Amino acid sequence: AQSVAQPEDQVNVAEGNPLTVKCTYSVSGNPYLFWYVQYPNRGLQFLLKYITGDNLVKGSYGFEAEFNKSQTSFHLKKPSALVSDSALYFCAVRDIKTKAAGNKLTFGGGTRVLVKP
Amino acid sequence: DAMVIQNPRYQVTQFGKPVTLSCSQTLNHNVMYWYQQKSSQAPKLLFHYYDKDFNNEADTPDNFQSRRPNTSFCFLDIRSPGLGDAAMYLCATSRGGGTVNTEAFFGQGTRLTVV
């Protein structure tokens, strides 16, 4: 079974400082990994994904993530955080064994990011 | 333009009174999902449709049902809502057919309150 862990419930960072949100995964085959962001009372917005290729993936709003196979990690990063980046972040892994290639996502527990001015 | 639309955004229902949440999509995606999310926790998959093929999660209570009359629409029916069913309900869509590298697109959610 696939699983995702986000070890930090909350990350606090000052505006302008680098932001890192951690994610580790467990899959039986090749991992398909995603990051989503959720603002209050909103649905989830897609940020970026890793399927294959370069380990450094660039996504929306200046975010990027680094895939590390040996450490089974997919940490989300932003070089300079903004107050508007304050939100709930979810890492997710695709269940590739779903019948008919349905695209079930297994989510981590979420990390709340608070960027202070 | 919104691609996955959920109505209503906020729903208040009485304990035990059936309620239906709706979702529509303009993406023509094969797969539609319903997730339940409580108190900023991880979204929990209730079920999903691959075209007309319904796939229920093993731990989804019988109180939750779903209908997908056509590609564009999908409904979540809660037959007898309890206080514990108060949550944000998220609809999502994605392509199917082996395209496992595609992301899911989420609607804005419906926040359900049970009184």
Side-chain angles (χ1 to χ4, degrees):
Chain A
Q2 275 72 302
S3 66
V4 176
Q6 294 180 240
E8 300 160 316
D9 290 336
Q10 181 159 326
V11 170
N12 297 320
V13 63
E15 187 173 34
N17 282 2
L19 168 65
T20 298
V21 186
K22 296 180 180 177
C23 171
T24 58
Y25 65 89
S26 174
V27 297
S28 55
N30 293 324
Y32 299 97
L33 297 157
F34 303 79
W35 274 103
Y36 286 84
V37 60
Q38 185 177 32
Y39 298 98
N41 290 313
R42 292 288 187 266
L44 277 66
Q45 295 180 29
F46 169 75
L47 283 178
L48 50 78
K49 65 185 177 185
Y50 173 82
I51 304 300
T52 186
D54 291 340
N55 289 342
L56 186 63
V57 178
K58 294 188 181 297
S60 306
Y61 312 120
F63 283 94
E64 58 190 28
E66 186 171 8
F67 172 69
N68 187 317
K69 188 173 183 177
S70 63
Q71 297 184 6
T72 62
S73 67
F74 189 55
H75 301 331
L76 181 70
K77 299 180 180 182
K78 186 169 184 178
S80 178
L82 301 172
V83 172
S84 57
D85 292 329
S86 298
L88 190 57
Y89 291 79
F90 289 101
C91 184
V93 65
R94 169 66 43 74
D95 180 351
I96 64 173
K97 293 185 178 179
T98 305
K99 161 185 150 180
N103 295 336
K104 290 172 59 174
L105 287 172
T106 300
F107 287 91
T111 298
R112 185 167 300 282
V113 170
L114 180 59
V115 182
K116 297 181 179 179
Chain B
D1 292 333
M3 296 178 287
V4 182
I5 302 166
Q6 291 188 243
N7 284 305
R9 290 291 313 282
Y10 301 91
Q11 175 74 57
V12 180
T13 190
Q14 291 180 336
F15 182 94
K17 183 176 181 180
V19 65
T20 295
L21 310 182
S22 71
C23 177
S24 62
Q25 56 137 337
T26 60
L27 299 163
N28 202 35
H29 282 169
N30 298 98
V31 192
M32 294 188 77
Y33 314 82
W34 280 104
Y35 285 88
Q36 180 192 64
Q37 186 183 27
K38 294 186 176 182
S39 301
S40 298
Q41 297 175 15
K44 178 181 179 300
L45 183 64
L46 295 173
F47 25 58
H48 76 279
Y49 274 94
Y50 189 101
D51 292 328
K52 293 187 176 183
D53 188 12
F54 178 70
N55 300 274
N56 198 29
E57 293 301 296
D59 57 354
T60 297
D62 292 340
N63 197 28
F64 292 87
Q65 303 286 320
S66 186
R67 296 169 283 137
R68 188 179 186 187
N70 54 52
T71 300
S72 300
F73 286 87
C74 194
F75 300 98
L76 171 61
D77 301 310
I78 308 177
R79 294 193 295 187
S80 181
L83 297 179
D85 296 327
M88 174 76 91
Y89 290 88
L90 298 168
C91 174
T93 74
S94 68
R95 292 200 299 259
T99 53
V100 293
N101 59 346
T102 62
E103 62 271 26
F105 293 79
F106 283 80
Q108 296 284 49
T110 295
R111 181 165 296 283
L112 179 69
T113 300
V114 182
V115 298

PDB file of all heavy atoms in Angstrom, chain A residues 104, chain B residues 44-48 54-62:
ATOM      1  N   LYS A 104      -6.423   7.387  -8.017  1.00  0.00           N
ATOM      2  CA  LYS A 104      -6.581   7.643  -6.587  1.00  0.00           C
ATOM      3  C   LYS A 104      -5.331   8.270  -6.017  1.00  0.00           C
ATOM      4  O   LYS A 104      -4.224   7.844  -6.290  1.00  0.00           O
ATOM      5  CB  LYS A 104      -6.875   6.344  -5.852  1.00  0.00           C
ATOM      6  CG  LYS A 104      -8.245   5.771  -6.137  1.00  0.00           C
ATOM      7  CD  LYS A 104      -8.422   4.392  -5.535  1.00  0.00           C
ATOM      8  CE  LYS A 104      -8.244   4.372  -4.064  1.00  0.00           C
ATOM      9  NZ  LYS A 104      -8.576   3.036  -3.491  1.00  0.00           N
TER      10      LYS A 104
ATOM     11  N   LYS B  44     -10.114  12.491   2.768  1.00  0.00           N
ATOM     12  CA  LYS B  44     -10.323  11.041   2.807  1.00  0.00           C
ATOM     13  C   LYS B  44     -11.221  10.662   1.641  1.00  0.00           C
ATOM     14  O   LYS B  44     -12.339  11.161   1.529  1.00  0.00           O
ATOM     15  CB  LYS B  44     -10.971  10.643   4.133  1.00  0.00           C
ATOM     16  CG  LYS B  44     -11.288   9.165   4.264  1.00  0.00           C
ATOM     17  CD  LYS B  44     -11.944   8.885   5.595  1.00  0.00           C
ATOM     18  CE  LYS B  44     -12.296   7.415   5.738  1.00  0.00           C
ATOM     19  NZ  LYS B  44     -13.223   6.973   4.683  1.00  0.00           N
ATOM     20  N   LEU B  45     -10.761   9.759   0.802  1.00  0.00           N
ATOM     21  CA  LEU B  45     -11.532   9.357  -0.360  1.00  0.00           C
ATOM     22  C   LEU B  45     -12.726   8.520   0.065  1.00  0.00           C
ATOM     23  O   LEU B  45     -12.583   7.535   0.806  1.00  0.00           O
ATOM     24  CB  LEU B  45     -10.654   8.569  -1.331  1.00  0.00           C
ATOM     25  CG  LEU B  45     -11.311   8.137  -2.634  1.00  0.00           C
ATOM     26  CD1 LEU B  45     -11.706   9.360  -3.472  1.00  0.00           C
ATOM     27  CD2 LEU B  45     -10.377   7.234  -3.433  1.00  0.00           C
ATOM     28  N   LEU B  46     -13.904   8.929  -0.404  1.00  0.00           N
ATOM     29  CA  LEU B  46     -15.131   8.170  -0.135  1.00  0.00           C
ATOM     30  C   LEU B  46     -15.386   7.150  -1.242  1.00  0.00           C
ATOM     31  O   LEU B  46     -15.649   5.977  -0.984  1.00  0.00           O
ATOM     32  CB  LEU B  46     -16.320   9.116  -0.029  1.00  0.00           C
ATOM     33  CG  LEU B  46     -16.291  10.106   1.135  1.00  0.00           C
ATOM     34  CD1 LEU B  46     -17.458  11.094   1.013  1.00  0.00           C
ATOM     35  CD2 LEU B  46     -16.334   9.387   2.466  1.00  0.00           C
ATOM     36  N   PHE B  47     -15.353   7.641  -2.478  1.00  0.00           N
ATOM     37  CA  PHE B  47     -15.535   6.782  -3.653  1.00  0.00           C
ATOM     38  C   PHE B  47     -15.126   7.549  -4.890  1.00  0.00           C
ATOM     39  O   PHE B  47     -14.909   8.759  -4.839  1.00  0.00           O
ATOM     40  CB  PHE B  47     -16.977   6.286  -3.810  1.00  0.00           C
ATOM     41  CG  PHE B  47     -18.048   7.137  -3.187  1.00  0.00           C
ATOM     42  CD1 PHE B  47     -18.227   8.471  -3.543  1.00  0.00           C
ATOM     43  CD2 PHE B  47     -18.890   6.606  -2.228  1.00  0.00           C
ATOM     44  CE1 PHE B  47     -19.205   9.244  -2.964  1.00  0.00           C
ATOM     45  CE2 PHE B  47     -19.887   7.370  -1.639  1.00  0.00           C
ATOM     46  CZ  PHE B  47     -20.051   8.689  -2.004  1.00  0.00           C
ATOM     47  N   HIS B  48     -15.042   6.799  -5.995  1.00  0.00           N
ATOM     48  CA  HIS B  48     -14.791   7.474  -7.254  1.00  0.00           C
ATOM     49  C   HIS B  48     -15.461   6.713  -8.387  1.00  0.00           C
ATOM     50  O   HIS B  48     -15.758   5.514  -8.272  1.00  0.00           O
ATOM     51  CB  HIS B  48     -13.293   7.670  -7.507  1.00  0.00           C
ATOM     52  CG  HIS B  48     -12.556   6.424  -7.936  1.00  0.00           C
ATOM     53  ND1 HIS B  48     -12.135   5.466  -7.039  1.00  0.00           N
ATOM     54  CD2 HIS B  48     -12.140   6.015  -9.154  1.00  0.00           C
ATOM     55  CE1 HIS B  48     -11.504   4.517  -7.688  1.00  0.00           C
ATOM     56  NE2 HIS B  48     -11.493   4.806  -8.965  1.00  0.00           N
ATOM     57  N   PHE B  54     -18.511   2.516 -10.728  1.00  0.00           N
ATOM     58  CA  PHE B  54     -18.457   3.054  -9.372  1.00  0.00           C
ATOM     59  C   PHE B  54     -17.480   2.245  -8.522  1.00  0.00           C
ATOM     60  O   PHE B  54     -17.525   1.009  -8.523  1.00  0.00           O
ATOM     61  CB  PHE B  54     -19.856   3.009  -8.757  1.00  0.00           C
ATOM     62  CG  PHE B  54     -19.916   3.492  -7.336  1.00  0.00           C
ATOM     63  CD1 PHE B  54     -19.740   4.841  -7.046  1.00  0.00           C
ATOM     64  CD2 PHE B  54     -20.159   2.609  -6.299  1.00  0.00           C
ATOM     65  CE1 PHE B  54     -19.812   5.298  -5.735  1.00  0.00           C
ATOM     66  CE2 PHE B  54     -20.230   3.050  -4.982  1.00  0.00           C
ATOM     67  CZ  PHE B  54     -20.054   4.404  -4.704  1.00  0.00           C
ATOM     68  N   ASN B  55     -16.619   2.947  -7.785  1.00  0.00           N
ATOM     69  CA  ASN B  55     -15.620   2.304  -6.940  1.00  0.00           C
ATOM     70  C   ASN B  55     -15.724   2.862  -5.523  1.00  0.00           C
ATOM     71  O   ASN B  55     -15.330   4.004  -5.256  1.00  0.00           O
ATOM     72  CB  ASN B  55     -14.216   2.555  -7.494  1.00  0.00           C
ATOM     73  CG  ASN B  55     -14.047   2.008  -8.891  1.00  0.00           C
ATOM     74  OD1 ASN B  55     -13.727   0.849  -9.086  1.00  0.00           O
ATOM     75  ND2 ASN B  55     -14.276   2.862  -9.884  1.00  0.00           N
ATOM     76  N   ASN B  56     -16.238   2.039  -4.650  1.00  0.00           N
ATOM     77  CA  ASN B  56     -16.445   2.468  -3.269  1.00  0.00           C
ATOM     78  C   ASN B  56     -15.216   2.113  -2.424  1.00  0.00           C
ATOM     79  O   ASN B  56     -14.622   1.039  -2.608  1.00  0.00           O
ATOM     80  CB  ASN B  56     -17.683   1.757  -2.721  1.00  0.00           C
ATOM     81  CG  ASN B  56     -18.243   2.437  -1.495  1.00  0.00           C
ATOM     82  OD1 ASN B  56     -18.115   3.638  -1.325  1.00  0.00           O
ATOM     83  ND2 ASN B  56     -18.866   1.659  -0.631  1.00  0.00           N
ATOM     84  N   GLU B  57     -14.841   3.004  -1.515  1.00  0.00           N
ATOM     85  CA  GLU B  57     -13.778   2.664  -0.579  1.00  0.00           C
ATOM     86  C   GLU B  57     -14.349   1.734   0.486  1.00  0.00           C
ATOM     87  O   GLU B  57     -15.511   1.841   0.880  1.00  0.00           O
ATOM     88  CB  GLU B  57     -13.203   3.915   0.080  1.00  0.00           C
ATOM     89  CG  GLU B  57     -12.468   4.817  -0.889  1.00  0.00           C
ATOM     90  CD  GLU B  57     -11.308   4.114  -1.561  1.00  0.00           C
ATOM     91  OE1 GLU B  57     -10.344   3.728  -0.854  1.00  0.00           O
ATOM     92  OE2 GLU B  57     -11.359   3.946  -2.791  1.00  0.00           O
ATOM     93  N   ALA B  58     -13.506   0.832   0.960  1.00  0.00           N
ATOM     94  CA  ALA B  58     -13.981  -0.209   1.871  1.00  0.00           C
ATOM     95  C   ALA B  58     -14.563   0.349   3.161  1.00  0.00           C
ATOM     96  O   ALA B  58     -15.484  -0.235   3.741  1.00  0.00           O
ATOM     97  CB  ALA B  58     -12.839  -1.175   2.182  1.00  0.00           C
ATOM     98  N   ASP B  59     -14.043   1.487   3.607  1.00  0.00           N
ATOM     99  CA  ASP B  59     -14.481   2.020   4.894  1.00  0.00           C
ATOM    100  C   ASP B  59     -15.488   3.168   4.752  1.00  0.00           C
ATOM    101  O   ASP B  59     -15.769   3.859   5.729  1.00  0.00           O
ATOM    102  CB  ASP B  59     -13.275   2.471   5.718  1.00  0.00           C
ATOM    103  CG  ASP B  59     -12.425   3.503   4.989  1.00  0.00           C
ATOM    104  OD1 ASP B  59     -12.702   3.780   3.799  1.00  0.00           O
ATOM    105  OD2 ASP B  59     -11.491   4.042   5.606  1.00  0.00           O
ATOM    106  N   THR B  60     -16.040   3.353   3.571  1.00  0.00           N
ATOM    107  CA  THR B  60     -17.053   4.396   3.397  1.00  0.00           C
ATOM    108  C   THR B  60     -18.388   3.891   3.939  1.00  0.00           C
ATOM    109  O   THR B  60     -18.862   2.835   3.508  1.00  0.00           O
ATOM    110  CB  THR B  60     -17.197   4.773   1.921  1.00  0.00           C
ATOM    111  OG1 THR B  60     -15.959   5.315   1.461  1.00  0.00           O
ATOM    112  CG2 THR B  60     -18.300   5.801   1.723  1.00  0.00           C
ATOM    113  N   PRO B  61     -19.008   4.621   4.860  1.00  0.00           N
ATOM    114  CA  PRO B  61     -20.278   4.158   5.423  1.00  0.00           C
ATOM    115  C   PRO B  61     -21.368   4.074   4.363  1.00  0.00           C
ATOM    116  O   PRO B  61     -21.382   4.845   3.402  1.00  0.00           O
ATOM    117  CB  PRO B  61     -20.608   5.236   6.471  1.00  0.00           C
ATOM    118  CG  PRO B  61     -19.305   5.900   6.770  1.00  0.00           C
ATOM    119  CD  PRO B  61     -18.518   5.850   5.507  1.00  0.00           C
ATOM    120  N   ASP B  62     -22.321   3.169   4.595  1.00  0.00           N
ATOM    121  CA  ASP B  62     -23.443   3.005   3.668  1.00  0.00           C
ATOM    122  C   ASP B  62     -24.302   4.256   3.575  1.00  0.00           C
ATOM    123  O   ASP B  62     -25.080   4.412   2.627  1.00  0.00           O
ATOM    124  CB  ASP B  62     -24.309   1.827   4.114  1.00  0.00           C
ATOM    125  CG  ASP B  62     -23.594   0.508   3.957  1.00  0.00           C
ATOM    126  OD1 ASP B  62     -22.616   0.458   3.174  1.00  0.00           O
ATOM    127  OD2 ASP B  62     -23.997  -0.473   4.610  1.00  0.00           O
TER     128      ASP B  62
END
